[in-house]
Amino acid sequence: MKTHFDIEKLIEKGIITNELDYERALISDRKLRLLAKDNVYFKNVRSKLREIIEKYENAEWSDVDKIDDQKILESDKSERIAELERLFLENRKQIIRKKLKELELTQENLALILGHKSKTYMSELMNGIKPFTLRDLIIINRLLKIEIAVLIPVFLSKEDQTKVQEAVIKLGKPKVKLTSHDLVLS
């Protein structure tokens, strides 16, 4: 289930295919801007990401005649979803850091406990550049006593939202109803 944007997968694919991933890429670019100051790896990742963003912008937004109300609405909705995701990830990071500090642990200590050897990789996880695994989040829940609902994103990808909506409609069960709010966040 894809509920998190993965920069490396996007870079490997080499193309942005939808507005939500575009908005997520813009947010990731801002995060990488800060990380790239201290790390060549992040500088290279950001450079590749910027190329992909630019290709998408040229293909989707450079021709004013192709931009209609539907495109603007899709862009606005995608921007809201990406921002909610960003806020969730930032909140989770701050809660984890606070708990680590209370327990006199460092981020490197947490990496060791989770079995991650690279300081860079742990930084990517904490900053939402890469997604935590479910295993990581369960260990953090148990170790740091952080509510699981704070650690696990409960929003659905755009693709999953569409699939769920179509399946509910196809079922034809009047008692089963979903609003757009139910699909974006719980």
Side-chain angles (χ1 to χ4, degrees):
M1 172 172 76
K2 182 186 177 222
T3 59
H4 192 287
F5 179 67
D6 189 332
I7 294 172
E8 284 187 352
K9 286 183 182 175
L10 178 72
I11 290 172
E12 188 177 300
K13 201 166 59 167
I15 187 167
I16 295 172
T17 57
N18 62 68
E19 197 64 23
L20 182 54
D21 280 348
Y22 169 67
E23 293 295 339
R24 288 169 169 163
L26 292 174
I27 289 170
S28 295
D29 177 57
R30 290 193 305 264
K31 288 179 184 179
L32 286 169
R33 182 182 62 220
L34 299 173
L35 295 171
K37 290 180 182 178
D38 303 327
N39 190 305
V40 174
Y41 169 77
F42 290 129
K43 185 179 263 187
N44 291 334
V45 170
R46 182 173 186 235
S47 176
K48 292 173 186 173
L49 182 63
R50 295 284 313 145
E51 288 174 21
I52 295 168
I53 289 171
E54 189 174 332
K55 276 195 263 183
Y56 183 82
E57 289 172 342
N58 289 337
E60 296 294 323
W61 291 98
S62 63
D63 186 351
V64 178
D65 296 330
K66 287 185 181 178
I67 302 172
D68 58 9
D69 289 344
Q70 184 62 32
K71 181 119 179 110
I72 299 293
L73 285 173
E74 179 187 357
S75 175
D76 289 347
K77 182 180 178 184
S78 296
E79 186 177 351
R80 282 191 306 275
I81 292 169
E83 180 60 12
L84 289 171
E85 291 172 352
R86 185 196 69 76
L87 291 171
F88 170 84
L89 294 171
E90 182 60 29
N91 183 56
R92 179 175 71 185
K93 177 175 79 172
Q94 294 307 322
I95 290 170
I96 292 171
R97 284 186 172 166
K98 180 181 176 195
K99 287 290 192 166
L100 288 172
K101 188 174 182 179
E102 287 173 11
L103 296 172
E104 298 177 2
L105 293 171
T106 66
Q107 201 168 291
E108 285 183 64
N109 298 146
L110 181 59
L112 180 68
I113 292 166
L114 296 175
H116 303 308
K117 297 183 181 8
S118 164
K119 189 176 180 179
T120 300
Y121 185 73
M122 192 64 207
S123 181
E124 289 174 312
L125 293 173
M126 290 293 289
N127 286 293
I129 303 297
K130 286 189 179 192
F132 278 105
T133 65
L134 183 55
R135 176 190 165 277
D136 288 344
L137 294 174
I138 290 169
I139 292 169
I140 292 169
N141 161 258
R142 304 258 169 95
L143 178 71
L144 304 181
K145 310 295 188 260
I146 298 173
E147 291 293 321
I148 201 75
V150 173
L151 298 172
I152 297 176
V154 293
F155 38 81
L156 295 172
S157 70
K158 189 174 180 180
E159 297 82 19
D160 284 339
Q161 289 177 38
T162 302
K163 287 177 186 177
V164 170
Q165 282 177 319
E166 290 170 357
V168 167
I169 291 167
K170 188 176 180 180
L171 285 174
K173 303 284 185 186
K175 291 183 181 180
V176 180
K177 296 177 185 172
L178 290 170
T179 66
S180 58
H181 179 75
D182 293 328
L183 293 170
V184 175
L185 280 179
S186 58

